[in-house]
Amino acid sequence: SVLALLASTCGVIVHCRCIRPFLRDIKPHLEDGEKPTSALELHVHALRRRVAESEERQTSARQALKAAVHSHEKGLLKRAIEEGWFAGLKEQELEDAMAAKMRATISLQELALLQEVIQECSQAGLSERELTKATIAREKLEKLLADLKKAISEMEIESLQAIIRKCQLAGFPDRALKEARSAKATIDILHAKLRTGIDNQ
């Protein structure tokens, strides 16, 4: 029985540390600075998962994952991933949920939210491939925002028109372009006044 327990514990360790890192943050309610999860704790987590597996709990976990994908609540996805793992959902299903969350967040074109979700998904074990996609999207968003800020500060009409169109095509929300449109309107008014003054001479 001792050998069986050791074999089981080793199997859990291999699963957690070699196959996938999903458990690296599924250490319920451990605070930063506490000692790492022990082999016994990992074994207990595995037993909890086996006991908790049921069709009803898995259905509930899937609903929680779906809600987390479309929610902006911080930490909700992490909790849903943890619940899904303990309910016995397949690793690929958890990975798909995180990837869906990332795609939904990228489409919002909001930098602070995207950075937050990248961190959360990284901690929850999202694949390097998906994290790389998200990082590239974040870098593109940062570049667009920098270009937008520069165009506003320079108050040059052609640059403003070009960056506004570019941001619109990228899916920027209207509120993100409010300042740029205001600057463009100001320039249009100044140009109109200038033309009127020239015509009156």
Side-chain angles (χ1 to χ4, degrees):
S1 59
V2 174
L3 290 176
L5 176 60
L6 287 174
S8 177
T9 302
C10 289
V12 174
I13 294 172
V14 169
H15 173 74
C16 297
R17 297 183 179 177
C18 301
I19 299 176
R20 288 286 292 156
F22 270 104
L23 271 187
R24 68 185 173 196
D25 244 20
I26 302 181
K27 306 173 192 175
H29 316 302
L30 283 179
E31 299 293 336
D32 291 341
E34 290 192 34
K35 64 181 181 180
T37 303
S38 67
L40 178 59
E41 287 172 320
L42 289 174
H43 183 63
V44 170
H45 289 333
L47 291 176
R48 280 182 59 193
R49 187 184 192 210
R50 185 176 302 176
V51 170
E53 287 181 6
S54 71
E55 185 175 344
E56 182 179 352
R57 185 167 182 182
Q58 288 182 355
T59 298
S60 176
R62 289 188 178 99
Q63 291 173 345
L65 283 171
K66 185 176 180 180
V69 167
H70 300 289
S71 172
H72 297 166
E73 181 182 338
K74 188 174 182 179
L76 186 62
L77 178 65
K78 180 182 175 182
R79 294 195 297 272
I81 292 294
E82 179 180 335
E83 172 61 23
W85 188 87
F86 279 121
L89 296 184
K90 298 295 184 181
E91 183 179 303
Q92 188 60 53
E93 192 168 355
L94 301 177
E95 173 87 12
D96 290 345
M98 287 189 285
K101 173 70 172 182
M102 194 66 76
R103 289 193 298 271
T105 305
I106 289 171
S107 69
L108 296 176
Q109 295 293 308
E110 294 189 14
L111 183 58
L113 182 60
L114 179 56
Q115 290 174 327
E116 182 180 296
V117 172
I118 287 175
Q119 182 179 13
E120 187 173 18
C121 287
S122 175
Q123 292 173 346
L126 184 62
S127 69
E128 288 298 325
R129 180 173 59 85
E130 293 295 337
L131 286 173
T132 298
K133 289 180 183 179
T135 300
I136 292 172
R138 183 190 63 195
E139 291 171 351
K140 288 181 178 178
L141 179 54
E142 288 172 337
K143 177 66 165 56
L144 272 178
L145 289 171
D147 290 345
L148 182 61
K149 184 177 180 180
K150 180 181 178 182
I152 292 172
S153 65
E154 292 177 349
M155 295 292 282
E156 205 286 311
I157 190 65
E158 290 184 0
S159 296
L160 269 172
Q161 289 175 329
I163 193 62
I164 287 173
R165 284 196 298 269
K166 197 170 183 180
C167 289
Q168 287 175 326
L169 290 173
F172 269 50
D174 288 340
R175 63 181 177 278
L177 298 175
K178 184 178 180 180
E179 186 180 359
R181 289 197 176 108
S182 177
K184 179 180 177 298
T186 300
I187 297 173
D188 288 338
I189 292 171
L190 291 173
H191 283 184
K193 288 181 177 180
L194 181 61
R195 285 193 299 269
T196 300
I198 292 174
D199 293 340
N200 290 337
Q201 288 181 353

